[in-house]
Amino acid sequence: MKLTGAILTVAVAAFLLFPASTEASFAKVGTAGAQFLKIGMGTRGAAMGGAFVATADDATAAYWNPACLVRVPGKQIQFAHTEWFEEIRYEAGMLSWEYPGIGTFGLQFGLLNSGDMDVTTVENPEGTGETFNCSDMVVGVSYARMLTDRFSTGLTLKYVRESWDDVSASGVAVDMGTLYNTGFRTLRIGMSIQHFGPELTPSGEYTTYNSGGDSLETYESYSLPMTFKLGLAMDVLDQGPHFMTVEVDGVHPNDNVEYVGIGGEYWYNNLVAIRGGYKINTDEAGLTAGAGFRVPVGGRTIMLDYAYADWNKLEMVHRASVGFAF
């Protein structure tokens, strides 16, 4: 009965997050750049359908919700690899360091590379024989601390850069987050605002081709993909070697309609984990799944994780990460 009540509590919360009908929503797709920031860092959160803002308790909290860094004991480091669409690869690294009485610090970096693409021109629409590539980068530093015995807050300052051959744009952004332990069973409420910052303006000029002649123009600026997330999480099973957490997140991006992410994570003896999730009200994203292992070695712990995401008409996305806790 206790387990059933806990699951119902989280289920009801899912309906409360977005009570309005999505039929009246307008998708502002294509109105923000730096889309690689949405890919996410690490594998646990991705395997749980992105529902992780109130659950994160490893170094990836620096990305999902910096306030959750207070849940990460000692020191941790993680490296993650993502096989994105069309052979695009995203490499990420995260570090967290707890200072008792001061707070927890975090570092993160992400590097996306498109691989080689053919150069085309007006005269050679099939390609000139030359190639170019696009790359994106983010580097951030985070800090979190407990303000009360139940409430924590966190902040991330990061540098974002995008480049397309010889054109680039860069700027700074901020992530802010809070985490509140309600005191009701293990119910937690997490909130984060990601990628908040000024618009980015590409450098240089480009040539326009008009019937009346050619002219040089400067690039227009574009917005970052600012995203607001609100999540509710609860540990619904904690009996002997069995431990399970479920979470429901409401996500409001500035360049698309709202959607809901639902995820769960089950641990056996704190050594083997199975994860799953689903995204509701998205065009292609849907089912996610994954697994994880913790291997104690001489007072340290090695963490191995895998995640999979089904994007329907698009390709499947696979992620893998390795981490160390000291």
Side-chain angles (χ1 to χ4, degrees), residues 85-99:
F85 311 121
E86 296 297 329
E87 299 183 354
I88 296 174
R89 293 176 171 83
Y90 187 48
E91 316 296 340
M94 296 132 286
L95 169 69
S96 66
W97 195 311
E98 178 191 22
Y99 285 88

Side-chain angles (χ1 to χ4, degrees), residues 16-98:
L16 295 178
L17 286 172
F18 290 106
S21 172
T22 58
E23 294 180 356
S25 299
F26 174 73
K28 297 178 288 185
V29 177
T31 59
Q35 292 293 304
F36 78 102
L37 294 173
K38 295 181 178 181
I39 293 177
M41 294 186 178
T43 57
R44 286 181 63 199
M48 293 174 61
F52 210 50
V53 297
T55 296
D57 58 1
D58 58 18
T60 66
Y63 170 83
W64 297 100
N65 181 1
C68 285
L69 282 170
V70 299
R71 306 185 71 219
V72 188
K75 298 181 286 291
Q76 282 195 20
I77 184 170
Q78 285 201 33
F79 300 97
H81 170 75
T82 301
E83 287 285 336
W84 204 240
F85 311 121
E86 296 297 329
E87 299 183 354
I88 296 174
R89 293 176 171 83
Y90 187 48
E91 316 296 340
M94 296 132 286
L95 169 69
S96 66
W97 195 311
E98 178 191 22

Side-chain angles (χ1 to χ4, degrees), residues 233-312:
M234 179 179 287
D235 305 326
V236 297
L237 179 62
D238 188 3
Q239 296 180 358
H242 307 287
F243 186 85
M244 183 175 180
T245 300
V246 295
E247 177 164 344
V248 180
D249 282 7
V251 183
H252 179 84
N254 68 347
D255 61 346
N256 213 320
V257 297
E258 297 88 352
Y259 68 89
V260 174
I262 302 175
E265 178 182 59
Y266 165 79
W267 280 97
Y268 177 75
N269 208 28
N270 203 33
L271 295 175
V272 181
I274 299 176
R275 307 177 182 107
Y278 195 82
K279 294 182 179 180
I280 302 172
N281 197 40
T282 63
D283 290 333
E284 298 297 331
L287 181 67
T288 61
F293 303 90
R294 290 178 180 170
V295 184
V297 180
R300 296 176 174 84
T301 301
I302 300 175
M303 299 169 288
L304 303 173
D305 295 284
Y306 166 79
Y308 145 88
D310 182 7
W311 284 75
N312 294 315

Side-chain angles (χ1 to χ4, degrees), residues 136 149 169 171 191 196 204 241 253 266 275 279:
D136 301 323
D149 60 342
M191 183 277 293
F196 174 75
Y266 165 79
R275 307 177 182 107
K279 294 182 179 180

Side-chain angles (χ1 to χ4, degrees), residues 116-141:
D116 291 335
M117 295 183 287
D118 294 330
V119 174
T120 61
T121 64
V122 174
E123 295 80 11
N124 298 283
E126 299 299 323
T128 64
E130 299 177 325
T131 61
F132 74 103
N133 66 67
C134 299
S135 62
D136 301 323
M137 179 187 72
V138 60
V139 179
V141 57

Side-chain angles (χ1 to χ4, degrees), residues 98-103 143 145:
E98 178 191 22
Y99 285 88
I102 298 176
Y143 172 71
R145 68 168 297 160

